């Protein structure tokens, strides 16, 4: 019955066609164009020419100080921000789940609300929180003689981290909270009968139970860190120079596009994708091994 | 699957929880609520202050009332372009999410309910695509669009927005859960065609799930900044997020208080949608995340 067998493919056809055009083709395009290097005449008066040079852009990227430091910056960001955010999300979920909590609905909603704010709008609002002229945070701290220089070049990465944490902690909390809700009541009852304290139950029963949710939120957060773009881009014009146009790898690739060097931007994107894929894979392997042990 | 199990645990007895643990828990929760609500509260308070006083005072309490005057100024700036941006955002997100949900529903339903050659490959590609950073497609897409002269064309924002691997994944999960094979068989015995069965039975049973997918995609498109910022140079075509960032970067041309007020106005529709449709959100997130 060829008709019965073809029908499901027809159902999938609109998605597949667009998927090929908007996902698969760009990846292929990026991979192929990264193999060409752009040559300009000294004065830039004639049109640049493209030369097939499979490793040229990759070699250049690996020697490009700005690109490498953008990778390092985002790696540092991920190593600090992801555990802090997920730790906060886990603690929040456990607190809201605890017997001592009242007004659970309110606290769940208030932490989740920032997720409803588009990333760019959140960054705009926080840029006012940070700005030397308007910072309501520093106004609050003023009586104590404290003032936080949010745009200081040492601090600005963590000011960005705070915006990302504010936006996503509640989202991750909801995922972990949902996993907590699916712990069978008998398991918790048994732990309590054995005389375990609330903290002990949280540590030995609840946290191991939500491991899957934690692994998943970690992988999504790693991917999110790799594509860090919106928040630093919004802060760039108001940061007084501490956020550069190559602050993150995506920003670096975009500035290569702006400079007219598409193949170089493509090579940076491909390198970033390979790195993210590698890190996610290693993370899955590590957490998987622990599970078997 | 745990949209249902969420409610399964019976309410535990209220008696336990000592006074100290209760105070500690509530103090920590109160602190976290302050952190999450502080910037939003500041945004609300500042937008209601008379124009120009947005950055004076502590920022934590109302002072005078100028909300309507502020909105009038917002509407007056650059010939009322702000409302054009809002309309653009609603159109991009509405159309993109609607088509995306329809395509996701069709594909997810087929993946869940039919056995056909290539099914495994399609689902594998969908899962892989969920895990690849979406931003990485944006730069090559920009290059491809400039190759076919689609820059400054709304299609350059709409076409990529319509593809939602996560939507396909969710509708496959939901279709497998909520649409029983027996009902489909009954429809076939009555002589209905497959498309008709999908429309009359599949879509109806999956409707709550489809609302979730629509919402997810709506917000995802609203959140996507890099793509429209790259492919739309003409500011009359931009969505509100791109427009506001442009205003913010041009401190001299546009007074910063307008950015504050614009931010509040641009966020209100999403906040309302969120509060109204909470239960759909939670069902969707947990179905996607907890296995």
């Amino acid at each position: 019955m060829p008709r019965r067998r073809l029908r499901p493919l027809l159902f999938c056809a609109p998605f597949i066609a667009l998927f090929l055009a908007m996902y698969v083709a760009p990846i292929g395009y990026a991979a192929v164009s990264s193999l060409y290097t752009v040559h300009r005449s000294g004065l830039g008066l004639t049109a640049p020419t493209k030369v097939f040079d499979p490793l040229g852009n990759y070699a250049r990227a690996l020697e490009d100080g700005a690109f490498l430091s953008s990778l390092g910056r985002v790696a540092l960001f991920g190593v600090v921000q992801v555990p802090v955010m997920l730790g906060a999300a886990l603690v929040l979920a456990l607190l809201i789940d605890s017997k001592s909590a009242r007004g659970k609905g309110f606290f769940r909603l208030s932490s989740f609300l920032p997720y409803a704010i588009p990333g760019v709008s959140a960054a705009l609002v926080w840029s006012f929180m940070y700005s030397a002229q308007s910072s309501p945070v520093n106004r609050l701290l003023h009586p104590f003689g404290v003032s936080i220089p949010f745009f200081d070049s040492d601090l600005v990465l963590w000011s960005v981290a705070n915006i990302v944490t504010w936006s996503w902690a509640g989202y991750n909390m909801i995922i972990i909270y949902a996993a907590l809700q699916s712990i069978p009541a008998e398991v918790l009852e048994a732990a309590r009968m054995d005389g375990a304290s609330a903290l002990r139950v949280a540590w030995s029963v609840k946290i191991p139970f939500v491991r899957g949710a934690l692994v998943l939120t970690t992988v999504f957060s790693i991917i999110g860190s790799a594509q860090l773009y919106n928040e630093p881009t919004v802060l760039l014009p108001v940061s007084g120079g501490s956020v550069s146009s190559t602050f993150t790898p995506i920003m670096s690739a975009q500035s290569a596009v702006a400079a007219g060097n598409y193949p170089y931007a493509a090579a940076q994107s491909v390198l970033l994708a390979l790195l993210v894929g590698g890190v996610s894979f290693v993370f899955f392997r590590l957490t998987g091994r622990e599970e078997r042990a | 699957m745990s949209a249902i199990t969420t409610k399964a645990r019976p309410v535990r007895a209220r008696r336990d929880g000592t006074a100290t643990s209760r105070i500690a828990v509530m103090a920590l929760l109160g602190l976290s609520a302050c952190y999450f609500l502080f910037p939003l509260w500041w945004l609300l308070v500042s937008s209601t202050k008379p124009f120009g006083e947005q950055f004076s005072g502590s920022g934590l309490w109302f002072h005078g009332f100028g909300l309507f005057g502020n909105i009038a100024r917002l509407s007056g700036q650059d010939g009322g372009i702000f409302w054009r941006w809002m309309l653009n955002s609603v159109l991009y997100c509405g159309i993109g999410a609607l088509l995306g949900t329809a395509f996701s529903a069709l594909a997810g339903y087929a993946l869940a309910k039919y056995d056909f050659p290539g099914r495994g490959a399609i689902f594998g590609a969908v899962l892989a695509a969920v895990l690849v950073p979406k931003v990485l497609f944006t730069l090559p897409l920009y290059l491809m669009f400039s190759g076919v002269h689609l820059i400054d064309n709304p299609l350059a924002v709409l076409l990529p927005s319509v593809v939602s691997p996560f939507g396909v994944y969710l509708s496959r999960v939901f279709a497998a859960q909520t649409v029983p094979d027996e009902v489909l068989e009954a429809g076939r015995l009555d002589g209905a065609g497959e498309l008709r069965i999908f429309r009359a039975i599949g879509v109806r049973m999956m409707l709550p799930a489809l609302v979730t997918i629509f919402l997810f995609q709506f917000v995802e498109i609203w959140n996507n900044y890099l793509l429209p910022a790259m492919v739309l140079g003409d500011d009359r075509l931009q969505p509100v997020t791109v427009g506001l960032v442009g205003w913010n970067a041009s401190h001299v041309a546009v007074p910063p208080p307008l950015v504050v007020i614009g931010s509040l106005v641009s966020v209100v529709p999403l906040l309302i949608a969120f509060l109204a449709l909470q239960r759909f959100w939670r069902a969707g997130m947990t179905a996607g995340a907890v296995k």
Side-chain angles (χ1 to χ4, degrees):
Chain A
M1 281 197 297
R3 280 183 62 108
R4 269 298 275 281
R5 284 173 70 81
L6 276 181
R7 188 55 50 87
L9 276 173
L10 282 181
F11 276 31
C12 296
F15 171 77
I16 292 175
L18 281 160
F19 183 77
L20 289 175
M22 300 296 146
Y23 273 72
V24 179
I27 290 182
Y29 187 97
V32 170
S33 57
S34 72
L35 303 178
Y36 291 83
T37 49
V38 173
H39 285 277
R40 277 167 225 276
S41 71
L43 293 170
L45 294 175
T46 49
T49 49
K50 277 188 191 172
V51 180
F52 183 71
D53 175 12
L55 293 176
N57 288 309
Y58 292 97
R60 183 177 158 191
L62 294 175
E63 286 170 1
D64 182 344
F67 179 63
L68 290 180
S69 56
S70 76
L71 283 177
R73 194 174 289 120
V74 158
L76 175 66
F77 176 94
V79 166
V80 177
Q81 190 267 340
V82 173
V84 167
M85 171 180 68
L86 293 180
L90 175 64
V91 169
L92 256 180
L94 287 170
L95 285 173
I96 296 178
D97 186 59
S98 83
K99 295 182 299 320
S100 305
R102 300 285 173 271
K104 295 176 184 224
F106 168 77
F107 291 113
R108 224 166 38 211
L109 187 64
S110 64
S111 63
F112 186 49
L113 216 46
Y115 176 69
I117 313 293
V120 160
S121 306
L124 280 176
V125 175
W126 276 100
S127 77
F128 291 115
M129 301 286 113
Y130 292 159
S131 126
Q133 291 90 46
S134 62
S135 173
V137 180
N138 279 338
R139 290 236 170 89
L140 275 183
L141 295 174
H142 186 72
F144 308 99
V146 182
S147 168
I148 305 173
F150 292 102
F151 290 137
D152 211 78
S153 53
D154 293 334
L155 210 59
V156 76
L157 184 64
W158 310 118
S159 300
V160 171
N162 172 57
I163 305 179
V164 177
T165 305
W166 182 79
S167 298
W168 291 93
Y171 176 91
N172 290 307
M173 184 279 283
I174 296 280
I175 293 177
I176 299 168
Y177 182 77
L180 283 175
Q181 298 298 293
S182 63
I183 302 178
E186 309 86 67
V187 174
L188 296 173
E189 202 52 53
R192 211 160 316 131
M193 298 274 263
D194 289 345
S197 68
L199 280 179
R200 184 69 210 272
V201 172
W203 183 253
S204 311
V205 180
K206 290 182 176 179
I207 293 180
F209 199 90
V210 299
R211 254 186 71 107
L214 285 173
V215 170
L216 195 88
T217 48
T218 306
V219 169
F220 279 128
S221 304
I222 291 173
I223 296 168
S225 302
Q227 41 187 335
L228 192 64
Y229 176 81
N230 291 352
E231 292 82 3
T233 303
V234 170
L235 294 187
L236 188 142
V238 292
S239 70
S242 57
V243 177
S244 66
S245 61
T246 56
F247 195 72
T248 73
I250 297 285
M251 291 169 81
S252 168
Q254 202 211 7
S255 63
V257 172
N261 196 342
Y262 302 150
Y264 186 45
Q268 293 186 346
S269 305
V270 171
L271 278 176
L272 182 62
L274 291 175
L275 275 171
V276 178
V279 171
S280 299
F281 179 75
V282 168
F283 181 78
F284 268 131
R285 284 294 295 271
L286 286 177
T287 49
R289 186 172 309 150
E290 254 174 60
E291 211 145 24
R292 278 195 299 274
Chain B
M1 70 187 265
S2 47
I4 303 114
T5 46
T6 310
K7 287 162 206 145
R9 198 184 332 162
V11 182
R12 272 177 269 148
R14 276 197 155 227
R15 62 187 155 75
D16 20 31
T18 60
T20 39
S21 90
R22 185 132 115 223
I23 289 167
V25 165
M26 291 311 283
L28 284 171
L29 283 176
L31 213 61
S32 81
C34 288
Y35 170 67
F36 289 118
L37 295 179
F38 182 83
L40 297 176
W41 177 252
W42 176 86
L43 186 65
L44 179 71
V45 167
S46 302
S47 302
T48 63
K49 288 180 180 173
F51 192 83
E53 290 179 34
Q54 272 60 39
F55 305 120
S56 53
S58 70
L60 292 181
W61 201 245
F62 301 97
H63 179 78
F65 186 78
L67 179 62
F68 297 131
N70 292 337
I71 292 178
R73 273 179 188 261
L74 181 70
S75 311
Q77 181 74 30
D78 296 347
I81 199 165
F82 178 81
W83 298 107
R84 167 96 198 213
W85 289 339
M86 287 292 280
L87 182 69
N88 290 343
S89 280
V90 170
L91 286 178
Y92 293 144
C93 299
I95 297 171
L98 206 61
L99 288 176
T101 307
F103 296 162
S104 299
L106 272 168
Y109 171 85
L111 287 170
K113 291 293 156 193
Y114 298 103
D115 195 10
F116 58 96
R119 179 173 115 148
I122 295 172
F123 193 59
V126 165
L127 279 186
V130 170
L131 288 178
V132 178
K134 217 178 169 179
V135 168
L136 293 179
F137 303 115
T138 307
L139 296 175
L141 269 179
Y142 168 75
L143 306 183
M144 288 169 59
F145 285 146
S146 48
V148 295
H149 304 292
L150 266 181
I151 299 299
D152 273 341
N153 185 326
L155 278 179
V157 174
L158 276 173
L159 286 176
S161 307
V162 166
V163 193
S164 172
F166 191 58
V168 174
Y169 170 75
L170 278 185
S171 50
R172 197 198 92 124
V173 171
F174 284 125
Q177 267 171 33
T178 57
V179 186
D181 290 328
E182 299 79 39
V183 183
L184 300 183
E185 268 317 314
R188 280 181 199 124
L189 288 176
D190 287 346
E194 297 298 323
L195 192 61
R196 171 115 196 255
I197 292 176
F198 169 73
R199 278 208 319 251
I201 303 171
V203 170
R204 195 151 304 167
M205 289 183 157
M206 288 163 70
L207 204 57
L210 298 184
V211 174
T212 311
I213 295 171
F214 177 85
L215 281 170
F216 263 104
Q217 226 184 322
F218 191 94
V219 169
E220 199 182 306
I221 304 172
W222 196 293
N223 269 325
N224 191 348
Y225 169 78
L226 182 61
L227 176 71
M230 287 203 82
V231 299
L232 299 175
D234 180 352
D235 61 359
R236 300 202 49 85
L237 291 175
Q238 287 168 352
V240 68
T241 44
V242 178
L244 279 177
V245 171
W247 272 4
N248 190 48
S250 71
H251 262 274
V252 195
V254 181
L258 278 187
V259 180
V260 175
I261 297 145
S263 297
L264 177 78
V265 175
S266 73
V267 149
V268 164
L270 284 179
L271 281 182
I272 292 174
F274 240 87
L275 294 175
L277 299 164
Q278 263 198 81
R279 62 198 183 92
F280 288 111
W281 279 102
R282 292 191 51 210
M285 284 173 66
T286 52
V290 185
K291 287 171 202 111

